[in-house]
Amino acid sequence: DTAVSQTPKYLVTQMGNDKSIKCEQNLGHDTMYWYKQDSKKFLKIMFSYNNKELIINETVPNRFSPKSPDKAHLNLHINSLELGDSAVYFCASSPPGAYGYTFGSGTRLTVV
Amino acid sequence: GNSVTQMEGPVTLSEEAFLTINCTYTATGYPSLFWYVQYPGEGLQLLLKATKADDKGSNKGFEATYRKETTSFHLEKGSVQVSDSAVYFCALSDHSGGGADGLTFGKGTHLIIQP
């Protein structure tokens, strides 16, 4: 069983569209995250979320919004997609204390 | 704020050479330190970690020692293989806030091993 799974693996869409990326973890972890990896491979956290609190990186545009239907899922919704949103998006999770993180395999988003 | 600085590549070595990838950090408190590896077209895999000063993380022939006095976590391997070609990321986790800040990553080092 995949510990952190995200779908789709590839997503190609036009500018202005709204899209979602789904993430599920079966590790029983309390905290989930979304990271963005740009074309230069640089990784930056976008959001962290546990069942009590959402922490937003202040540099993330408000077109991006995480949605968590339950503890095991953290989906990423993106409105009005722009060319600059093209990147690889990684979901991750961690247990309490955050001494370990498990990553999904990534979603490569291409905006054309 | 927290930050991680690592040597930027690409780093090109011949097979069986000795590898060192430098990593230094700035953090408040006592962070945990990690090395992640990303093979071409794949996601992030945890390579090794250390959670307190003087700990040594090791895996698949790779090692790194948590040096608080020099705020460093350099990655080493005695004899690299072509299959080690990948991008390596140094990262830290500041446990204040219960992990809400997630991982802070270095910019990654692209390692190329030639036969």
Side-chain angles (χ1 to χ4, degrees):
Chain A
D1 285 343
T2 302
V4 179
S5 60
Q6 43 182 121
T7 56
K9 188 172 177 64
Y10 300 97
L11 181 56
V12 181
T13 188
Q14 291 187 329
M15 286 176 55
N17 284 352
D18 303 337
K19 289 293 179 184
S20 295
I21 305 172
K22 295 185 177 182
C23 179
E24 175 182 5
Q25 55 98 1
N26 63 6
L27 298 167
H29 286 170
D30 288 334
T31 307
M32 296 183 72
Y33 310 83
W34 279 105
Y35 288 83
K36 178 180 180 180
Q37 185 175 43
D38 64 22
S39 60
K40 295 184 178 181
K41 300 286 188 182
F42 186 54
L43 282 150
K44 194 167 186 180
I45 190 168
M46 301 176 70
F47 304 100
S48 70
Y49 186 84
N50 62 24
N51 56 7
K52 300 176 183 177
E53 188 176 18
L54 171 67
I55 306 287
I56 302 172
N57 185 313
E58 60 185 11
T59 66
V60 176
N62 57 15
R63 297 181 295 103
F64 290 78
S65 58
K67 306 285 186 187
S68 181
D70 55 58
K71 184 179 173 180
H73 297 82
L74 183 65
N75 303 324
L76 182 64
H77 295 267
I78 316 170
N79 295 325
S80 302
L81 277 155
E82 300 177 357
L83 292 176
D85 298 331
S86 296
V88 181
Y89 293 85
F90 286 99
C91 178
S93 69
S94 70
Y99 287 93
Y101 297 79
T102 304
F103 282 81
S105 58
T107 296
R108 180 174 295 277
L109 171 66
T110 303
V111 183
V112 298
Chain B
N2 299 331
S3 67
V4 175
T5 303
Q6 63 181 105
M7 55 194 297
E8 296 185 38
V11 173
T12 303
L13 295 172
S14 297
E15 204 166 22
E16 299 184 2
F18 184 86
L19 168 70
T20 300
I21 301 178
N22 290 336
C23 171
T24 57
Y25 68 90
T26 302
T28 55
Y30 301 94
S32 292
L33 301 173
F34 304 81
W35 277 100
Y36 281 85
V37 58
Q38 186 175 29
Y39 296 102
E42 297 187 11
L44 292 163
Q45 299 179 25
L46 176 65
L47 182 59
L48 54 84
K49 71 177 183 181
T51 58
K52 61 182 186 295
D54 299 326
D55 269 2
K56 178 186 283 187
S58 61
N59 186 25
K60 298 181 181 179
F62 291 89
E63 294 183 339
T65 301
Y66 187 162
R67 302 286 188 199
K68 191 171 187 297
E69 64 276 13
T70 55
T71 61
S72 64
F73 193 54
H74 305 322
L75 182 68
E76 296 182 337
K77 186 175 185 182
S79 176
V80 293
Q81 306 300 313
V82 172
S83 58
D84 294 326
S85 298
V87 180
Y88 292 80
F89 294 93
C90 186
L92 73 82
S93 176
D94 179 348
H95 301 292
S96 60
D101 293 338
L103 284 163
T104 299
F105 284 92
K107 292 187 175 181
T109 301
H110 186 193
L111 176 65
I112 301 169
I113 308 299
Q114 296 178 334

